[in-house]
Every structure is written in structure tokens, then in C-alpha cells.
């Protein structure tokens, strides 16, 4: 249940970090009540949040990858489906086999109310319909505020003001991050070290190009521990690589998006693992190593992505459809 909820919320919000911040406190409480391993439940949420991020057209990683490669978001999302859906289904199968306290989670469904989840459904539906990202997020926030006023009364005003202030604080962090990321990206491109490092010599073909793109974004993600920032930093270099190796824009954006998420879920200093493992009133901190072992999705995603890249290389007709 944790993975499914994480996936749905992740698709609606378009951010794995937001999904983790929303759901991890809930599953930590469930772990206390059910006496289930907290690392296992939190790892399930991590898997779902990452999958939701892969499948969302309003995800920051999707927008960054498509913008840098000049790709269509929906073509890129269709390619993501080929690897994300099998990886997530395999993850669900693994979790179902390992789970031993289904009745605790199923009991939560009896108390589910439709009204609080309407903003998530609205965001998901409007995003799939192709509405502007800013419009989707603004209308979703307005709907959530209206529901809060309707269900909690005038007392919701003070809480809404507090939430808005916290959001502005987070926005300041994002602005500073964008400024430093832009400077770092310019330095990396002007210096030419990354371009020289990943200038593959010899026979150039799409498979070699995709491998170079995967290694490029993986290295950047390991160094900066943020998959969106990694894509922004290597975006222009990746586009040159893709063009020189005849990799279509959609495929290039797909490779950058998927491999940055894979690496982000497998590095102990990644923001998602650190945020999910923070101590709370429901238990002590969970180490990133524990969460990595219980976040099965990243491992399965790496496997299916490698298999897909190899299969596409030997099926030229499949690759030509994405041109």
C-alpha cells in the first residue's frame, strides 16, 4: 500500500521529495502501531515516490530533461513507461511476498475520505490533459485551500498563512540553488572538461551515445546529490552527445531522467534517502544504507533500463519510432 500511495501522490505532485515529506510521517506511525520494520515501510514509500516522479509529466526532472534536449514531455513519458512500469510491478511483487502485516494497512482504507484527495486528483488529471504546469499547480493549491476552509473553518486561515510562509522559505532555497546551479553549469561547459571526458571516439551509434549520457548524468548526480541539478548541469553537453550519436531528443531526455533517478536512489548522501530517514516522534533515524536495501525500485529500474537499452539497439524499427 505504501508504494502504491507513493506512486499516485508522486505522479500528482511531480516531486519525489514532496511525496516523501507527505507520506513518511504517516508510514512511520503505521510502523509503530503494526510493529512492522520502519525501514521496510519507508523504503516502500521511497520506491513509489521515485516511480511517481518517473511517470509524472510535471516532474522537475522531466521538465529539466525535456527542456535541455528539446524533447516532447509526452514522448519522453511514453518511453519512461517501458521501464518504470515493469520495475514498479516487480517491486510490488517483491513487497507483497515480503509483507507480513497486510491487515494493518488495509484497515486504513476504511477511513479514507475522498474530499482531501481531490486536489491530488485534479493535479493529476489536468497534468495528463496537457495544461500549463504553472496553471496546474496554482489551481491545485487553490482547490486545496478551498477544501481546507470548507472542512476546518476559519481556524484554517492561520495554518494556511504558516504553510505559505514555509513555502516561501523553501522557495528561497530553490532560488539560491538555481543561481549556484546555473553558475556551476556554465563553468562546467566553458571549461570543457566534461565534454572532453565524454567525447566518445571511434564508431558512433545510439547505444554508445546512450551509455555516455547515462554515465555523464550519473557522475554529475553522485557529485551534487540532486538529480534535477545534475540534469541541468550536463544538459548542453548531453545534447551535443545525443546529436553526434544520433540519439533522438526523446530518448536522450529519457536516459537522463531515468539514470539520474536510479543513481539518486542508490547514493547514501541523496536528498531523498536523507529526508526519509530523519528521526521523528515515531522513531529514531533510519540510516541511508537500510533504506537503500529496502528501496527495491531503484535496483529493478536499473535492470529493466539496461535490458531496454540493449533491446532497442538491436531493434532499429523501435528506435526509429522515437525520432
Amino acid at each position: 500500500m505504501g508504494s502504491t500511495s507513493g506512486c499516485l501522490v508522486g505522479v500528482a505532485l511531480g516531486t519525489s521529495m514532496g511525496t516523501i515529506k507527505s507520506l513518511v510521517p504517516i508510514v512511520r506511525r503505521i510502523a509503530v502501531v503494526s510493529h512492522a520494520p520502519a525501514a521496510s515501510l519507508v523504503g516502500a514509500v521511497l520506491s513509489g515516490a521515485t516511480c511517481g516522479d518517473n511517470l509524472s509529466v510535471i516532474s522537475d526532472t522531466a521538465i529539466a530533461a525535456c527542456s535541455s534536449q528539446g524533447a516532447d514531455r509526452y514522448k519522453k513519458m511514453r518511453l519512461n513507461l517501458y521501464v518504470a512500469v515493469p520495475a514498479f510491478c516487480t517491486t510490488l511483487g517483491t513487497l507483497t511476498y515480503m509483507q507480513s502485516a497486510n491487515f494493518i494497512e488495509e484497515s486504513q482504507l476504511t477511513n479514507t475520505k475522498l474530499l482531501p484527495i481531490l486536489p491530488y486528483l485534479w493535479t493529476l488529471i489536468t497534468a495528463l490533459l496537457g495544461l500549463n504546469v504553472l496553471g496546474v499547480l496554482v489551481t491545485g493549491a487553490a482547490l486545496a485551500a478551498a477544501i481546507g476552509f470548507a472542512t476546518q473553518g476559519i481556524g484554517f486561515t492561520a495554518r494556511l498563512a504558516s504553510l505559505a510562509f514555509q513555502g516561501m522559505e523553501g522557495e528561497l532555497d530553490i532560488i539560491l540553488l538555481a543561481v549556484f546551479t546555473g553558475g556551476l553549469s556554465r563553468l562546467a561547459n566553458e571549461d570543457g572538461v566534461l565534454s572532453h571526458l565524454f567525447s566518445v571516439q571511434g564508431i558512433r551509434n545510439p547505444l554508445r551515445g546512450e551509455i555516455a549520457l547515462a554515465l555523464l548524468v550519473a557522475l554529475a548526480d553522485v557529485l551534487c546529490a540532486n538529480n534535477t541539478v545534475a540534469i541541468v548541469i550536463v544538459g548542453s553537453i548531453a545534447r551535443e552527445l545525443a546529436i553526434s550519436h544520433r540519439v533522438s531528443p526523446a530518448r536522450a531526455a529519457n536516459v537522463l531522467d531515468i539514470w539520474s533517478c536510479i543513481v539518486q536512489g542508490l547514493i547514501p548522501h541523496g536528498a531523498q534517502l536523507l529526508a526519509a530517514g530523519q528521526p521523528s516522534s515515531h522513531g529514531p533515524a533510519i540510516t541511508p544504507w537500510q533504506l537503500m536495501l529496502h528501496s527495491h525500485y531503484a535496483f529493478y529500474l536499473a535492470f529493466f533500463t539496461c535490458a531496454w537499452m540493449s533491446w532497442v539497439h538491436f531493434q532499429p524499427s523501435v528506435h526509429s519510432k522515437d525520432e
Side-chain angles (χ1 to χ4, degrees):
M1 188 64 193
S3 283
T4 305
S5 301
C7 183
L8 293 176
V9 174
V11 171
L13 293 182
T15 166
S16 56
M17 280 297 294
T19 303
I20 291 167
K21 291 286 188 179
S22 301
L23 296 184
V24 165
I26 299 174
V27 299
R28 291 295 294 266
R29 177 59 181 167
I30 293 176
V32 172
V33 173
S34 63
H35 304 289
S40 178
L41 295 184
V42 175
V45 171
L46 274 171
S47 294
T50 306
C51 181
D53 193 26
N54 291 150
L55 299 179
S56 177
V57 293
I58 60 172
S59 166
D60 49 357
T61 54
I63 294 172
C66 292
S67 299
S68 65
Q69 303 306 304
D72 181 78
R73 283 184 295 160
Y74 294 94
K75 286 184 178 180
K76 198 273 305 181
M77 188 182 72
R78 185 188 68 187
L79 294 174
N80 280 20
L81 288 171
Y82 294 143
V83 292
V85 171
F88 187 64
C89 290
T90 309
T91 299
L92 287 180
T94 303
L95 293 174
T96 301
Y97 176 78
M98 298 174 62
Q99 192 174 347
S100 59
N102 281 333
F103 66 96
I104 295 293
E105 292 195 54
E106 290 171 1
S107 66
Q108 309 298 319
L109 297 177
T110 59
N111 299 321
T112 300
K113 296 180 181 179
L114 178 62
L115 194 59
I117 66 174
L118 282 180
Y120 296 99
L121 294 176
W122 169 261
T123 305
L124 175 61
I125 293 171
T126 52
L128 292 176
L129 290 176
L131 271 68
N132 180 269
V133 174
L134 182 60
V136 169
L137 296 178
V138 170
T139 54
L143 180 59
I147 292 174
F149 282 120
T151 56
Q152 301 181 33
I154 195 66
F156 181 72
T157 306
R159 187 181 176 194
L160 181 62
S162 174
L163 292 173
F165 181 75
Q166 293 176 18
M168 292 304 295
E169 285 185 322
E171 194 70 23
L172 177 61
D173 293 341
I174 293 174
I175 292 173
L176 293 175
L177 179 63
V179 171
F180 285 115
T181 301
L184 184 60
S185 175
R186 186 59 180 266
L187 286 174
N189 286 287
E190 290 293 332
D191 185 74
V193 174
L194 289 178
S195 298
H196 179 72
L197 183 62
F198 287 92
S199 59
V200 182
Q201 303 297 326
I203 300 175
R204 301 190 175 195
N205 58 50
L207 180 60
R208 289 192 179 193
E210 291 176 10
I211 293 174
L213 291 173
L215 292 175
L216 176 65
V217 76
L219 175 62
D221 193 64
V222 169
L223 294 177
C224 66
N226 186 301
N227 47 351
T228 305
V229 173
I231 292 173
V232 172
I233 290 175
V234 305
S236 59
I237 302 173
R239 189 163 190 172
E240 293 177 8
L241 275 172
I243 293 173
S244 64
H245 288 81
R246 304 187 305 280
V247 179
S248 68
R251 283 291 298 164
N254 164 251
V255 171
L256 293 177
D257 184 19
I258 292 295
W259 280 104
S260 66
C261 286
I262 291 172
V263 175
Q264 189 70 14
L266 298 178
I267 53 176
H269 56 290
Q272 285 81 353
L273 291 176
L274 294 177
Q278 288 181 349
S280 68
S281 58
H282 302 305
I286 305 173
T287 66
W289 302 106
Q290 289 178 293
L291 292 177
M292 284 170 59
L293 293 176
H294 289 90
S295 182
H296 309 287
Y297 177 75
F299 295 98
Y300 290 132
L301 185 62
F303 170 78
F304 282 106
T305 302
C306 290
W308 170 251
M309 289 171 62
S310 301
W311 184 76
V312 167
H313 175 65
F314 293 107
Q315 299 289 332
S317 58
V318 175
H319 202 286
S320 63
K321 294 180 182 179
D322 303 322
E323 295 292 340

